[in-house]
Amino acid sequence: PPKRPHASASTPTPTARGIAFRVVIAARQQPGMLFRRARAWSYDGVMADAMSEERDFNQRNIDEFRANGGKVGGQFEGFPLLLLTSTGAKSGDQRVSPTAYFDIEGKLYIVGSAAGRGRDPAWAFNIRAHPDVTVEIGSDPPKAFTAHELPRAERDRVYPLVVERAPGFGDYEKRTDRVIPIFELVPTD
């Protein structure tokens, strides 16, 4: 990625309002270019910092998970988490994502809520492209699974069961217009 210039008296710090204005103008001029332009603008500060903070947050949780036999504190304390290793849809690189999971009716599910953001999490795109994944639960060694996205009717049956166990997922659903996907993880052994 290109290096960001250092802020100085002559270099204005980007504001959310300034970025939003540029995004609206770009969307009006070339709707298809919006995502690429937003990524390019990420290096002027705000988006790049948010993405870096999220990566750092995830890495701290991954490290804590592995150091403590699958237990993570803070906002995830007591919540069932797994580490999902998927293959990048475009890059082909291995990606590790701490992800909530639900054992419902003897099946293992993960939910692509992205906390109610307007887009599925990156791992959802990855497992659609490459459904063979590795999963770490607790202190057990990593195991091979295949991810299957639930068809809409099955997803609609399972999602309320998820919300029963974790009401925050109901809030996530209210925050977004997209259908939050659910994937079943099926052991390959």
Side-chain angles (χ1 to χ4, degrees):
K3 292 186 178 184
R4 294 187 336 213
H6 293 287
S8 68
S10 62
T11 307
T13 302
T15 64
R17 184 177 181 176
I19 291 171
F21 177 75
R22 288 187 282 179
V23 168
V24 168
I25 296 302
R28 288 181 181 161
Q29 292 173 346
Q30 294 180 324
M33 294 295 291
L34 181 59
F35 179 69
R36 280 178 280 198
R37 287 179 188 232
R39 284 184 61 131
W41 290 332
S42 72
Y43 297 104
D44 70 2
V46 176
M47 286 176 59
D49 290 343
M51 289 169 56
S52 178
E53 285 176 21
E54 186 170 344
R55 275 192 295 273
D56 292 346
F57 176 77
N58 282 343
Q59 189 58 54
R60 283 192 305 273
N61 283 305
I62 291 165
D63 294 343
E64 185 176 353
F65 182 101
R66 288 180 172 153
N68 296 307
K71 291 180 178 35
V72 178
Q75 69 189 60
F76 299 116
E77 189 166 352
F79 202 78
L81 288 182
L82 59 76
L83 296 184
L84 175 73
T85 302
S86 59
T87 303
K90 293 181 183 177
S91 70
D93 295 339
Q94 295 296 292
R95 306 286 186 199
V96 180
S97 306
T99 307
Y101 74 91
F102 299 89
D103 185 339
I104 299 173
E105 300 166 351
K107 296 180 179 179
L108 192 64
Y109 296 104
I110 55 176
V111 181
S113 68
R117 294 187 195 121
R119 184 180 166 115
D120 292 342
W123 62 257
F125 293 99
N126 294 346
I127 65 178
R128 285 179 182 128
H130 306 285
D132 293 327
V133 299
T134 302
V135 172
E136 297 172 57
I137 297 177
S139 58
D140 294 340
K143 294 180 183 161
F145 284 79
T146 301
H148 300 281
E149 187 166 5
L150 297 185
R152 180 66 186 265
E154 181 68 4
R155 178 258 176 228
D156 290 349
R157 184 188 74 76
V158 172
Y159 203 84
L161 301 173
V162 168
V163 172
E164 255 179 43
R165 295 174 185 209
F169 283 82
D171 295 334
Y172 299 155
E173 193 171 38
K174 291 174 187 169
R175 290 183 199 161
T176 186
D177 293 331
R178 68 184 171 87
V179 175
I180 294 175
I182 299 178
F183 298 84
E184 181 183 356
L185 297 176
V186 179
T188 57
D189 300 328

